[in-house]
Amino acid sequence: MFPDISYITDRGEVEKMRKFILFLLPVLFLLTSCADLFQTKIAMGPGSNGSLSDIFVTEKEITKLDSSSQVFVSSGLATDSISISWHPVDYAVSYCLERAVQTPEDPGYSEGKVPENFEVINKAVYGTSYTDVILSNPSYTSEEYGYKYWYRVYAENNREKYEASDPALCSKPGTMFAPPGNVDATKGAASDNIRVTWDFANNASGYVVYRTKNSDGTGAEEKARITGNQNWYKDTIEESEQGVDFYYIVKAVNSAGVLSEASNIGLGYSLMSGAPQMPSPVKVLTRGTSISEIKLKWDASASGEGEVKYAVFRYSSIDSSLTQLTSGTTACEWTDKNNVKPGILYYYQVQAWVEDETGKKLKSQISTVDPFEGGTDETSEGFLLSPPSGIGVAADQTGHSITWQPAIGHETEQALYEYEIYGSDRKDDGFAFLCRTAPGECSAELAGTSKFYRIKTLYASVSSSESDTVAPAPFAAENVSASRAENLGDAVLYPANSSGVYPVKITWEPPQGGASAYHVYRSTTKDSGFRKITDVPVTDCEFVDKNDTAKAGKYYYYRVLALNELEQGNNYSETKVGYGALTHEQYILEFNKTILSSQKKLKLMHKPSTSALGSEEYQGDISGKVYYNATLNGLSARIIIQYTDYADSYIDNNKDLGPYFVLSGNSNTSANTSANGGMDGTINCTGMYPGSVSYDGIEIKGGDAGGGTYGVKPVGFEKKDVSWTVLN
């Protein structure tokens, strides 16, 4: 403390004391620099020179995590799942994993084009690998074996509030290890062997062949192991086994020794002496001319002895396993009503047999299948007349345009199909005839409109059942907006996430003609990568995105898909940008990044003692300037730092998005010779997060910010006093 000199009246003594104080001030400044009197706490331990420069020699500040350098996915490794692994990312605590599924019908499937419809499958993977179980009950009929699975990985560290990395995408899609397809066995082609064949399986290094006498495949025993590029096996049949029905199953094995699921079951048997001749191919009499049954006939088979009976078999375009429909008919005809369904091609074969004197069946070779090639020849292929598929309804100001894929059949038949269109304002009933198309036409223009449509196929005086109900996709939602750093009003209902970011509110108006519901999609990029964030369709014209991964300083892009009553839609709204407001604590943390960036440019404030006195001015990296002035004012030091439209960084490091924080105002420090005092001034902020920060409540103790509060007021929020410890 300075001595009390108020009692001294002699001018000479006063002058002596004044000179003593002037001598003492530089000594005090050896202990307290101007930088010490500013807001940021300075390390004063061994090796420290007691200046602000101490805080700028640490490692480079981390704000955003790097992406993983490589993402690996398994191809044909497991029968029910796909394994994903990736290179670790420095400072990452967890990883968010997304998946997109491609079916053979999807655009870009054959070209290997990366789809856009990624969805989160695990928000927090604590490690660098994950097993994505696709099938709980895998079977050779599982459609998923033909799908492609794409994955991308985000590195995250919510503990330190780092911004998540950009997504790292796998270089190729993952697939599962599928069983062999189309297993077949000869049926009476030879008396001493049965030849089994199958389609190659991807990633197979060999195959295991099993055989059983049970038609359901139970009790199968291994017959052979096939290695290399061979997709057949010849099973030698003993004389005692001739004519016995054997059922074959094939499994693929990959290089890791994993066995695939079982294939379809292939029926095979060897020919016995005295069996009837092979019947001629089955002729289908009602190919597309019935909606409930398929009629068959065949020529009688010659036999040396006994009454000839026939067994009828069927397989289909969706299941290659042979199903026996009947085994004891003596007529050369059959009507198939056994669970036949529209939209499926069926193939028929017949087997003749007689009984010998001991009652043993002597079976002929099974008939071959005659395919349909578009002419008038008889064929073994049949189907029920079906409604069309792939129906789409487009709307414009004049009415509705309807298109569809032709109903099942050969192109020569499809050219003869006519279609009837029915409309209703109720989705379940009340459909009335609207129009009929010319043969072969697969589109219609309707001047009037209905809410819902169904279509029938007409062929050879037969009318199919009605198609599934379809409806026009609504127009795009209008006047979409997304909140930007707005106060949504209820912090309990809409709390900030762990990164100090409040939710975003998306609003819109119904499209012309209305919509029944909506889905909302979000992306971190403007033109791609959108994923659905509504678990179920929303019926109100607003949605609050409680994004638990949102980070400060990040733009998020939103678009809305309007849906009809069938939850169908394909018209997306225009894309809008939104981002959540910041908590008061997070606000000053983001604000202070620009403050610290500006201080790095100042030179005087980092010098010790009286060398810190003086003035200097520097330009912002983007705009404006920062001015520094340190002076002695009587027995106190006065430090002024003034900002004028000062900005150092862009939003998301993107020049096109504009400056992050733009600062205008003062942060001033006053301290006495004991390095105690306070701060004053207010800095106004524009840019991504408009608001202000007041320093009037900060206390300086021993040259450091040692108490008090910052007055933080984001635009739209009440002012809040935030403890100085937030920045210390």
Side-chain angles (χ1 to χ4, degrees):
M1 296 289 296
F2 284 94
D4 183 2
I5 59 173
S6 60
Y7 66 93
I8 302 177
T9 56
D10 183 85
R11 293 178 60 89
E13 291 296 319
V14 170
E15 181 61 19
K16 288 180 182 179
M17 183 60 69
R18 186 185 69 82
K19 290 181 179 180
F20 169 76
I21 293 173
L22 291 177
F23 166 78
L24 184 61
L25 278 175
V27 177
L28 290 172
F29 267 95
L30 289 176
L31 301 176
T32 304
S33 71
C34 289
D36 290 334
L37 301 180
F38 197 59
Q39 70 193 71
T40 306
K41 187 171 180 66
I42 309 302
M44 296 298 290
S48 168
N49 63 11
S51 74
L52 282 177
S53 60
D54 289 345
I55 68 171
F56 298 132
V57 297
T58 57
E59 295 183 17
K60 182 180 178 181
E61 182 183 8
I62 301 170
T63 58
K64 180 177 181 178
L65 296 178
D66 294 331
S67 298
S68 178
S69 58
Q70 188 75 50
V71 178
F72 305 93
V73 296
S74 61
S75 178
L77 181 62
T79 62
D80 60 350
S81 60
I82 295 174
S83 298
I84 310 100
S85 62
W86 51 91
H87 286 170
V89 174
D90 289 343
Y91 307 106
V93 172
S94 62
Y95 300 86
C96 178
L97 185 63
E98 294 182 333
R99 179 185 68 198
V101 182
Q102 263 183 330
T103 68
E105 294 77 24
D106 292 337
Y109 176 89
S110 57
E111 296 84 5
K113 183 179 179 181
V114 179
E116 292 188 4
N117 57 330
F118 281 86
E119 295 192 2
V120 174
I121 61 171
N122 196 311
K123 292 182 178 181
V125 180
Y126 294 96
T128 56
S129 64
Y130 183 79
T131 299
D132 184 17
V133 178
I134 307 296
L135 296 172
S136 57
N137 295 295
S139 165
Y140 76 93
T141 59
S142 299
E143 296 180 350
E144 290 82 355
Y145 281 124
Y147 295 175
K148 295 178 180 178
Y149 297 85
W150 295 84
Y151 297 87
R152 61 188 186 190
V153 178
Y154 297 82
E156 296 185 338
N157 187 335
N158 291 328
R159 297 175 188 171
E160 300 296 334
K161 304 186 186 302
Y162 298 148
E163 182 181 340
S165 72
D166 292 328
L169 178 70
C170 59
S171 59
K172 61 180 182 179
T175 57
M176 290 180 288
F177 188 35
N182 295 321
V183 172
D184 194 16
T186 55
K187 302 166 187 65
S191 60
D192 60 351
N193 69 79
I194 300 173
R195 193 171 192 270
V196 185
T197 60
W198 56 87
D199 291 343
F200 287 113
N202 291 333
N203 303 105
S205 59
Y207 302 90
V208 183
V209 181
Y210 302 85
R211 190 183 77 175
T212 180
K213 293 181 181 180
N214 300 321
S215 60
D216 61 0
T218 58
E221 297 179 350
E222 182 179 321
K223 284 293 292 182
R225 286 184 175 259
I226 309 298
T227 58
N229 193 27
Q230 178 178 316
N231 65 333
W232 59 269
Y233 165 68
K234 184 179 287 188
D235 186 16
T236 300
I237 301 300
E238 302 294 335
E239 184 176 351
S240 61
E241 297 175 326
Q242 289 179 352
V244 176
D245 287 343
F246 290 109
Y247 298 89
Y248 294 90
I249 297 170
V250 181
K251 295 183 179 181
V253 59
N254 61 23
S255 58
V258 175
L259 279 175
S260 75
E261 294 300 318
S263 68
N264 65 290
I265 300 172
L267 167 63
Y269 57 87
S270 61
L271 189 66
M272 293 186 69
S273 176
Q277 292 182 0
M278 179 177 67
S280 61
V282 172
K283 304 174 182 63
V284 173
L285 303 179
T286 52
R287 179 182 165 89
T289 55
S290 172
I291 62 171
S292 61
E293 60 186 29
I294 300 176
K295 293 183 178 181
L296 319 170
K297 72 173 184 178
W298 56 90
D299 296 336
S301 176
S303 173
E305 297 181 1
E307 182 182 37
V308 179
K309 295 183 180 180
Y310 299 93
V312 181
F313 297 86
R314 181 188 76 193
Y315 65 93
S316 74
S317 56
I318 63 172
D319 188 350
S320 57
S321 293
L322 207 59
T323 299
Q324 184 171 314
L325 303 175
T326 181
S327 64
T329 180
T330 57
C332 293
E333 61 183 20
W334 177 259
T335 299
D336 185 11
K337 299 179 182 179
N338 185 12
N339 197 29
V340 285
K341 298 177 180 179
I344 300 174
L345 293 172
Y346 293 99
Y347 303 90
Y348 295 91
Q349 295 175 276
V350 66
Q351 174 196 75
W353 60 274
V354 297
E355 288 186 0
D356 64 12
E357 62 277 6
T358 66
K360 185 175 183 178
K361 284 185 179 180
L362 305 179
K363 296 177 295 186
S364 75
Q365 185 176 355
I366 199 166
S367 66
T368 59
V369 173
D370 276 353
F372 185 77
E373 297 179 352
T376 58
D377 296 339
E378 295 169 325
T379 177
S380 306
E381 178 187 84
F383 58 88
L384 301 180
L385 187 63
S386 309
S389 60
I391 305 171
V393 185
D396 57 26
Q397 304 300 325
T398 61
H400 292 161
S401 175
I402 306 179
T403 59
W404 57 88
Q405 297 296 319
I408 191 170
H410 191 274
E411 60 184 15
T412 59
E413 296 163 324
Q414 292 171 344
L416 300 175
Y417 292 165
E418 296 177 277
Y419 301 94
E420 288 183 345
I421 301 173
Y422 296 78
S424 176
D425 288 333
R426 302 190 301 271
K427 64 180 179 180
D428 296 320
D429 54 32
F431 284 85
F433 173 80
L434 297 177
C435 66
R436 183 171 179 171
T437 68
E441 291 293 327
C442 290
S443 64
E445 299 291 334
L446 302 175
T449 60
S450 297
K451 285 186 176 181
F452 304 99
Y453 296 95
R454 292 176 180 174
I455 304 178
K456 292 182 179 181
T457 306
L458 281 72
Y459 177 57
S461 301
V462 178
S463 176
S464 77
S465 59
E466 294 178 341
S467 69
D468 292 335
T469 302
V470 295
F475 294 119
E478 299 178 351
N479 298 324
V480 177
S481 65
S483 62
R484 300 189 183 190
E486 292 182 18
N487 185 352
L488 301 187
D490 191 334
V492 176
L493 185 61
Y494 306 125
N497 65 15
S498 61
S499 297
V501 181
Y502 286 107
V504 176
K505 186 174 185 179
I506 305 96
T507 60
W508 58 90
E509 294 179 3
Q512 182 180 351
S516 295
Y518 306 87
H519 272 308
V520 181
Y521 292 75
R522 181 185 68 220
S523 178
T524 55
T525 57
K526 184 177 182 180
D527 300 317
S528 63
F530 284 88
R531 66 174 183 246
K532 186 171 62 180
I533 58 175
T534 43
D535 294 329
V536 296
V538 296
T539 54
D540 295 331
C541 290
E542 64 180 39
F543 178 74
V544 175
D545 179 20
K546 299 177 181 179
N547 183 1
D548 57 3
T549 63
K551 301 293 191 298
K554 186 74 177 178
Y555 268 16
Y556 295 91
Y557 299 87
Y558 296 90
R559 62 186 186 185
V560 178
L561 178 64
L563 305 173
N564 58 30
E565 288 185 46
L566 304 175
E567 297 187 6
Q568 301 166 337
N570 53 28
N571 295 315
Y572 291 91
S573 72
E574 60 182 338
T575 300
K576 292 295 183 177
V577 170
Y579 50 89
L582 305 180
T583 62
H584 292 75
E585 291 77 9
Q586 189 64 38
Y587 188 96
I588 196 169
L589 288 170
E590 298 301 313
F591 159 86
N592 203 49
K593 292 176 182 178
T594 300
I595 293 292
L596 292 177
S597 175
S598 71
Q599 291 176 8
K600 293 178 183 179
K601 299 176 182 179
L602 301 176
K603 295 180 173 58
L604 289 176
M605 72 175 297
H606 305 305
K607 294 182 177 181
S609 188
T610 55
S611 58
L613 299 175
S615 300
E616 57 182 338
E617 182 178 283
Y618 293 95
Q619 300 296 314
D621 293 343
I622 296 174
S623 67
K625 61 184 179 180
V626 56
Y627 168 77
Y628 168 90
N629 182 49
T631 60
L632 293 178
N633 184 12
L635 301 182
S636 300
R638 177 70 170 168
I639 303 170
I640 296 174
I641 297 183
Q642 184 181 70
Y643 295 92
T644 305
D645 296 327
Y646 183 91
D648 265 350
S649 62
Y650 291 109
I651 299 169
D652 207 14
N653 296 316
N654 186 339
K655 183 178 180 181
D656 295 335
L657 303 183
Y660 188 33
F661 272 85
V662 183
L663 309 184
S664 293
N666 285 32
S667 63
N668 308 320
T669 303
S670 298
N672 58 28
T673 54
S674 297
N676 295 327
M679 296 188 70
D680 61 87
T682 298
I683 297 179
N684 295 311
C685 312
T686 57
M688 188 171 180
Y689 298 105
S692 63
V693 175
S694 170
Y695 290 83
D696 294 351
I698 293 296
E699 302 171 6
I700 299 298
K701 296 179 180 180
D704 300 327
T709 57
Y710 299 97
V712 181
K713 189 184 183 307
V715 168
F717 290 80
E718 295 293 328
K719 182 179 179 181
K720 178 181 178 180
D721 292 333
V722 177
S723 172
W724 67 280
T725 58
V726 169
L727 295 179
N728 292 273

